Amino acid sequence: MKMVDVQLFQTLKGKFIPAADTVNSAGAPAYALSPRHALAQYAATGCLNATYYAGAEAQLATVLELCREVDPYFIAQTAVYLRERGYMKDMPALLVAVLAGQGAEELRPAFGRAINNGKMLRNVVQILRSGAVGRKSLGSRPKKLVQEWLNSASEAQLLAAAVGTAPSLADVVKMVHPKPAEAWRAAFFAWLIGRPYAAHDLPPLTAAFEAYKANRAAPLPDVPFQMLTALGLSAREWAQIARNGGWHMVRMNLNTFARHGVFGIDGMAQVIADKLRDREAIAKAGVFPYQLMAARQAATDAVPVAVRLALDEALEIALENVPAVEGRVVVCADVSGSMHAPVSGSRGTASSAMRCIDVAGLVAAAMLRKNPDALVLPFETKVVDCRLHPLDTVITNAQKLAALGGGGTNCSAPLVWLNEKRVEAELVVFVSDNESWMDARPRATATMQAWSAFKRRNPRARLVCIDCAPNASTQACEREDILNVGGFSDDVFRMIAAFAAGQLDYRHWVGAIEAVGLAG
């Protein structure tokens, strides 16, 4: 009887793995994402700032090129998806500006959904005037949409929009010449751009601000705090700002409150702590878990312990969307050298203190909290030993992982380790910048080869690759058992849960974006 040709079957198994069809930014073999998938990836992770592998201009050029390869409807869907579910700012504004440059019919619905506050309005105007999308003027249709926003926004929205420059809201008003129907709005615009106005027509918040400037004994107006900071406020006035402030504003200004003596006032530490841990406010704010982690890391010792503990509690609340997955979960956190880059790109002294490695640590620690028997495998050139306890705080475990790292990137290392140990699991989650190069080899990527071997032992297993950097390639090609998704919003966790439960179709993430309706 003839013996089975083992070598032949090993060769045949390799042929069933798709060959790599591109190279990544590190020059190693990779799989190209489709133009739609690549646009979603860049838009979800890019902040138009320099990353470890790509400068801001290169990112912009790539996004614009991808927009030329996809239809305007998908561009509009991506803008709405990333604004409403990813809470992104720069990229949705850029995509809306692209639609304006194209003269696309989808501009109106995309503008109405994605340009939903004054910051977004100023962003899209700035991008259009920069010439980045091929024009340096607004054009009649975008101008009309900006006018409509100005003529329908509330006084509070207009005041919030008035904070900031390049362009300022006054610049925008001068640019588009809105024709308001209400006397209060006409007075507000005149006040904003320094033209004569009837004081009795000013809307209430603006009138209160003018009254306060004229008489500091008047009540502190409920206006954006940036309008008040040049007035030499007392600690009690700063405390009133903290009481009136929105959730994000308070989170971002804890050290400012400490410097101005707010926490020295009896009861204010508790007031701010209660605001930060308020479940409804957290949900309404659409906070990224990593924003809470950043606030926790940035809080100095001058911020009371009760407030810092409230941030920990708020983080736990924000992570309630993390799925508890049936079966064994493995989380592979990339701790290589490139993961130490700022998560939102390099902006010099304004760069975020949060790095890609912090996000990887946060995702891994959060998954461990909801799946206590999960196996966490940090990796760089090889798997790095790090013992985490599921009952430790998410902050503690994330910081343990973020303290690791350095060295090259080897995305196949955790899968090779799992195969060597013959570990069984139903879900494997990677958090990486996807720039594997230590394991470069001809034909298929080492990650796909190792995943193929893992699947032979775990036929029902699924692989999720969360990319925290703007890329147009992946180490694991998209297919029924592999999900590639970018970004770090709560929606990523929701997609993991749906994918693990078999509730996503073959299009996965792109399909979720394509399901976005453009009706108002």
Side-chain angles (χ1 to χ4, degrees):
M1 182 175 179
K2 186 175 179 180
M3 297 293 292
V4 172
D5 187 338
V6 176
Q7 184 59 44
L8 171 63
F9 279 91
Q10 290 293 339
T11 303
L12 286 173
K13 279 192 294 188
K15 286 186 177 180
F16 293 126
I17 305 172
D21 54 8
T22 189
V23 294
N24 60 22
S25 297
Y31 298 96
L33 299 173
S34 70
R36 288 187 168 209
H37 199 142
L39 176 62
Q41 176 66 35
Y42 266 82
T45 56
C47 296
L48 299 180
N49 300 309
T51 64
Y52 188 89
Y53 286 101
E57 290 185 3
Q59 283 187 59
L60 175 61
T62 300
V63 170
L64 295 179
E65 178 60 34
L66 289 167
C67 284
R68 286 189 280 271
E69 297 183 43
V70 304
D71 58 276
Y73 199 87
F74 185 75
I75 295 172
Q77 288 175 310
T78 304
V80 172
Y81 178 93
L82 294 174
R83 181 65 189 142
E84 294 184 347
R85 302 193 203 176
Y87 310 110
M88 302 289 287
K89 299 182 183 71
D90 293 345
M91 279 295 180
L94 174 61
L95 296 180
V96 170
V98 167
L99 293 170
Q102 293 178 345
E105 291 298 319
E106 292 79 5
L107 171 62
R108 175 172 284 278
F111 191 102
R113 296 272 293 280
I115 309 305
N116 58 358
N117 64 31
K119 170 63 174 171
M120 294 299 296
L121 184 80
R122 291 190 293 106
N123 279 355
V124 74
V125 170
Q126 179 186 25
I127 292 168
L128 283 169
R129 293 189 69 207
S130 72
V133 296
R135 63 195 304 171
K136 289 196 174 182
S137 63
L138 292 187
S140 58
R141 292 178 66 216
K143 181 178 178 180
K144 184 176 181 181
L145 291 169
V146 174
Q147 289 172 334
E148 290 175 2
W149 192 95
L150 291 169
N151 284 327
S152 62
S154 67
E155 182 195 9
Q157 289 174 316
L158 289 169
L159 284 170
V163 174
T165 58
S168 67
L169 187 65
D171 294 332
V172 175
V173 168
K174 291 174 184 177
M175 207 180 303
V176 303
H177 306 293
K179 296 178 174 55
E182 308 98 329
W184 76 261
R185 200 180 299 272
F188 178 89
F189 290 147
W191 168 83
L192 183 70
I193 64 177
R195 291 185 178 172
Y197 60 90
H200 60 81
D201 285 335
L202 278 181
L205 295 178
T206 311
F209 175 64
E210 287 299 310
Y212 181 76
K213 286 196 300 180
N215 177 15
R216 293 294 296 275
L220 190 73
D222 187 12
V223 297
F225 81 98
Q226 295 92 334
M227 296 173 62
L228 302 168
T229 52
L231 302 180
L233 303 178
S234 68
R236 292 202 171 274
E237 288 170 319
W238 272 103
Q240 188 60 44
I241 288 174
R243 288 179 182 276
N244 294 343
W247 190 91
H248 273 300
M249 176 270 182
V250 171
R251 169 187 66 85
M252 295 171 65
N253 288 280
L254 296 176
N255 292 335
T256 300
F257 295 150
R259 285 196 304 272
H260 290 282
V262 170
F263 296 120
I265 298 173
D266 285 348
M268 279 308 300
Q270 192 61 46
V271 167
I272 291 176
D274 288 344
K275 178 173 286 195
L276 290 173
R277 66 164 67 93
D278 183 88
R279 184 178 299 275
E280 184 176 338
I282 291 169
K284 184 178 180 181
V287 60
F288 284 165
Y290 88 87
Q291 290 174 316
L292 279 161
M293 183 173 171
R296 182 66 173 82
Q297 291 177 336
T300 67
D301 290 343
V303 176
V305 172
V307 175
R308 283 179 273 161
L309 290 176
L311 285 171
D312 289 349
E313 189 175 341
L315 177 58
E316 299 286 347
I317 294 170
L319 287 167
E320 288 179 353
N321 284 327
V322 177
V325 178
E326 187 175 343
R328 187 75 186 278
V329 179
V330 178
V331 185
C332 307
D334 185 350
V335 296
S336 64
S338 60
M339 292 287 287
H340 288 258
V343 71
S344 56
S346 178
R347 295 178 292 164
T349 56
S351 296
S352 168
M354 285 291 288
R355 305 159 298 167
C356 292
I357 195 171
D358 295 311
V359 171
L362 179 59
V363 172
M367 293 289 291
L368 179 64
R369 167 56 59 85
K370 295 300 282 284
N371 302 274
D373 64 343
L375 177 62
V376 177
L377 298 179
F379 70 94
E380 40 170 81
T381 59
K382 62 183 185 304
V383 171
V384 180
D385 183 52
C386 182
R387 306 299 170 87
L388 304 181
H389 196 290
L391 294 182
D392 282 344
T393 67
V394 170
I395 286 282
T396 297
N397 280 333
Q399 289 175 339
K400 283 182 182 178
L401 289 170
L404 304 172
T409 308
N410 181 356
C411 286
S412 63
L415 293 171
V416 170
W417 187 94
L418 292 170
N419 289 331
E420 289 175 349
K421 305 292 185 184
R422 302 196 65 77
V423 173
E424 296 182 357
E426 281 67 44
L427 179 68
V428 178
V429 178
F430 271 76
V431 192
S432 173
D433 62 8
N434 239 337
E435 300 294 353
S436 191
W437 59 273
M438 294 290 295
D439 53 355
R441 61 185 62 184
R443 204 174 182 277
T445 64
T447 298
M448 278 302 291
Q449 294 184 36
W451 177 247
S452 179
F454 186 84
K455 282 283 288 186
R456 288 196 290 273
R457 293 186 302 100
N458 300 272
R460 298 177 58 190
R462 291 172 178 257
L463 174 65
V464 176
C465 300
I466 304 173
D467 202 327
C468 54
N471 287 309
S473 68
T474 177
Q475 290 296 294
C477 56
E478 190 85 352
R479 66 185 197 188
E480 186 178 352
D481 62 326
I482 299 174
L483 165 66
N484 285 284
V485 61
F488 17 81
S489 71
D490 280 358
D491 211 52
V492 171
F493 290 125
R494 286 191 285 268
M495 294 200 73
I496 292 173
F499 182 64
Q503 296 169 355
L504 291 182
D505 66 15
Y506 70 96
R507 294 171 299 173
H508 300 329
W509 189 31
V510 170
I513 295 173
E514 290 173 338
V516 171
L518 292 184

